[in-house]
Tab-separated table of all heavy atoms in Angstrom:
chain	number	residue	atom	x	y	z
A	12	ILE	N	42.527	63.909	65.050
A	12	ILE	CA	43.267	62.685	64.757
A	12	ILE	C	43.585	62.597	63.269
A	12	ILE	O	44.628	62.069	62.863
A	12	ILE	CB	42.477	61.451	65.253
A	12	ILE	CG1	43.407	60.230	65.335
A	12	ILE	CG2	41.269	61.182	64.365
A	12	ILE	CD1	42.776	59.055	66.063
A	32	ASP	N	47.006	51.264	71.935
A	32	ASP	CA	48.014	50.306	72.373
A	32	ASP	C	49.268	50.497	71.528
A	32	ASP	O	49.354	49.993	70.406
A	32	ASP	CB	47.489	48.872	72.228
A	32	ASP	CG	48.428	47.850	72.859
A	32	ASP	OD1	49.567	48.221	73.202
A	32	ASP	OD2	48.029	46.674	72.994
A	48	ILE	N	52.096	64.160	66.841
A	48	ILE	CA	51.245	64.546	67.970
A	48	ILE	C	51.868	65.714	68.724
A	48	ILE	O	51.194	66.680	69.095
A	48	ILE	CB	51.016	63.339	68.908
A	48	ILE	CG1	50.089	62.318	68.235
A	48	ILE	CG2	50.443	63.785	70.253
A	48	ILE	CD1	49.977	61.002	68.984
A	68	ASP	N	39.859	54.769	78.417
A	68	ASP	CA	41.120	54.130	78.795
A	68	ASP	C	41.540	54.458	80.221
A	68	ASP	O	42.707	54.332	80.569
A	68	ASP	CB	42.227	54.521	77.816
A	68	ASP	CG	42.427	56.032	77.730
A	68	ASP	OD1	41.784	56.755	78.520
A	68	ASP	OD2	43.211	56.481	76.882
A	71	GLY	N	40.106	53.775	87.129
A	71	GLY	CA	39.759	54.586	88.287
A	71	GLY	C	40.252	53.931	89.573
A	71	GLY	O	40.131	52.713	89.739
A	75	PRO	N	40.995	55.998	100.426
A	75	PRO	CA	40.399	56.826	101.486
A	75	PRO	C	41.265	57.995	101.923
A	75	PRO	O	40.809	58.839	102.679
A	75	PRO	CB	40.210	55.831	102.631
A	75	PRO	CG	41.276	54.827	102.418
A	75	PRO	CD	41.452	54.694	100.941
A	79	ASN	N	48.131	59.417	103.396
A	79	ASN	CA	48.566	58.223	104.112
A	79	ASN	C	49.644	57.493	103.300
A	79	ASN	O	49.421	57.132	102.143
A	79	ASN	CB	47.353	57.310	104.338
A	79	ASN	CG	47.663	56.143	105.250
A	79	ASN	OD1	48.729	55.565	105.211
A	79	ASN	ND2	46.690	55.786	106.080
A	89	ILE	N	50.606	50.853	91.385
A	89	ILE	CA	49.628	50.981	90.304
A	89	ILE	C	50.219	51.759	89.135
A	89	ILE	O	50.174	51.325	87.975
A	89	ILE	CB	48.342	51.660	90.826
A	89	ILE	CG1	47.585	50.718	91.767
A	89	ILE	CG2	47.447	52.099	89.661
A	89	ILE	CD1	46.425	51.371	92.503
A	116	ILE	N	31.801	56.157	93.017
A	116	ILE	CA	31.581	54.935	92.241
A	116	ILE	C	30.536	55.188	91.160
A	116	ILE	O	30.709	54.804	89.994
A	116	ILE	CB	31.165	53.766	93.155
A	116	ILE	CG1	32.377	53.282	93.962
A	116	ILE	CG2	30.581	52.610	92.339
A	116	ILE	CD1	32.055	52.252	95.015
A	131	GLY	N	39.412	48.217	100.171
A	131	GLY	CA	38.591	47.484	101.134
A	131	GLY	C	37.475	46.695	100.499
A	131	GLY	O	37.301	46.665	99.277
A	140	ALA	N	25.781	46.584	94.015
A	140	ALA	CA	24.841	46.215	92.952
A	140	ALA	C	25.164	46.944	91.661
A	140	ALA	O	25.126	46.360	90.565
A	140	ALA	CB	23.417	46.512	93.396
A	141	LEU	N	25.499	48.220	91.775
A	141	LEU	CA	25.842	49.023	90.601
A	141	LEU	C	27.081	48.458	89.913
A	141	LEU	O	27.121	48.334	88.676
A	141	LEU	CB	26.087	50.471	91.028
A	141	LEU	CG	26.447	51.470	89.924
A	141	LEU	CD1	25.301	51.610	88.938
A	141	LEU	CD2	26.781	52.835	90.538
A	191	GLY	N	44.138	52.389	118.768
A	191	GLY	CA	43.687	52.538	117.383
A	191	GLY	C	43.102	53.910	117.115
A	191	GLY	O	42.462	54.506	117.980
A	192	ALA	N	43.326	54.428	115.913
A	192	ALA	CA	42.776	55.718	115.493
A	192	ALA	C	42.076	55.550	114.152
A	192	ALA	O	42.292	54.560	113.443
A	192	ALA	CB	43.895	56.753	115.380
A	196	PRO	N	37.013	50.261	108.692
A	196	PRO	CA	36.786	48.810	108.779
A	196	PRO	C	38.053	47.979	108.944
A	196	PRO	O	38.036	46.956	109.641
A	196	PRO	CB	36.081	48.491	107.458
A	196	PRO	CG	35.359	49.751	107.110
A	196	PRO	CD	36.276	50.851	107.548
A	202	LEU	N	41.391	45.221	115.471
A	202	LEU	CA	40.904	45.179	116.850
A	202	LEU	C	40.169	43.874	117.122
A	202	LEU	O	40.323	43.271	118.194
A	202	LEU	CB	39.988	46.376	117.116
A	202	LEU	CG	39.300	46.454	118.491
A	202	LEU	CD1	40.317	46.415	119.621
A	202	LEU	CD2	38.441	47.717	118.577
A	225	LYS	N	39.575	60.071	115.649
A	225	LYS	CA	40.481	61.115	115.191
A	225	LYS	C	41.505	60.553	114.201
A	225	LYS	O	41.838	59.364	114.239
A	225	LYS	CB	41.216	61.739	116.380
A	225	LYS	CG	40.337	62.525	117.326
A	225	LYS	CD	41.158	63.092	118.471
A	225	LYS	CE	40.291	63.884	119.447
A	225	LYS	NZ	41.085	64.392	120.596
A	235	LEU	N	47.144	58.475	123.487
A	235	LEU	CA	46.483	57.185	123.714
A	235	LEU	C	47.242	56.345	124.727
A	235	LEU	O	46.629	55.613	125.515
A	235	LEU	CB	46.329	56.430	122.389
A	235	LEU	CG	45.349	57.037	121.380
A	235	LEU	CD1	45.308	56.214	120.099
A	235	LEU	CD2	43.939	57.148	121.978
A	256	LEU	N	51.068	55.624	115.541
A	256	LEU	CA	50.740	55.474	116.960
A	256	LEU	C	51.864	54.776	117.715
A	256	LEU	O	52.186	55.141	118.854
A	256	LEU	CB	49.437	54.686	117.108
A	256	LEU	CG	48.186	55.299	116.463
A	256	LEU	CD1	46.976	54.387	116.680
A	256	LEU	CD2	47.905	56.685	117.032
A	265	GLN	N	59.501	56.985	126.498
A	265	GLN	CA	60.802	57.612	126.747
A	265	GLN	C	60.647	58.856	127.623
A	265	GLN	O	61.459	59.105	128.514
A	265	GLN	CB	61.475	57.936	125.421
A	265	GLN	CG	61.903	56.686	124.662
A	265	GLN	CD	62.377	56.963	123.247
A	265	GLN	OE1	62.064	58.003	122.658
A	265	GLN	NE2	63.128	56.030	122.676
A	276	GLY	N	56.273	46.458	125.813
A	276	GLY	CA	56.543	46.031	124.443
A	276	GLY	C	55.646	46.816	123.486
A	276	GLY	O	54.509	47.149	123.834
A	318	ASN	N	42.384	36.875	79.175
A	318	ASN	CA	43.154	35.698	79.591
A	318	ASN	C	43.319	35.611	81.108
A	318	ASN	O	44.280	35.046	81.611
A	318	ASN	CB	44.523	35.664	78.900
A	318	ASN	CG	45.354	36.918	79.182
A	318	ASN	OD1	45.000	37.728	80.035
A	318	ASN	ND2	46.442	37.071	78.455
A	327	VAL	N	48.131	38.101	99.504
A	327	VAL	CA	49.579	38.366	99.402
A	327	VAL	C	50.277	38.176	100.736
A	327	VAL	O	51.511	38.226	100.810
A	327	VAL	CB	49.857	39.785	98.856
A	327	VAL	CG1	49.276	39.955	97.468
A	327	VAL	CG2	49.314	40.858	99.808
Side-chain angles (χ1 to χ4, degrees):
I12 197 169
D32 188 348
I48 289 171
D68 57 6
N79 188 322
I89 290 171
I116 287 173
L141 181 63
L202 176 56
K225 293 180 180 178
L235 292 179
L256 300 179
Q265 291 171 340
N318 58 10
V327 299

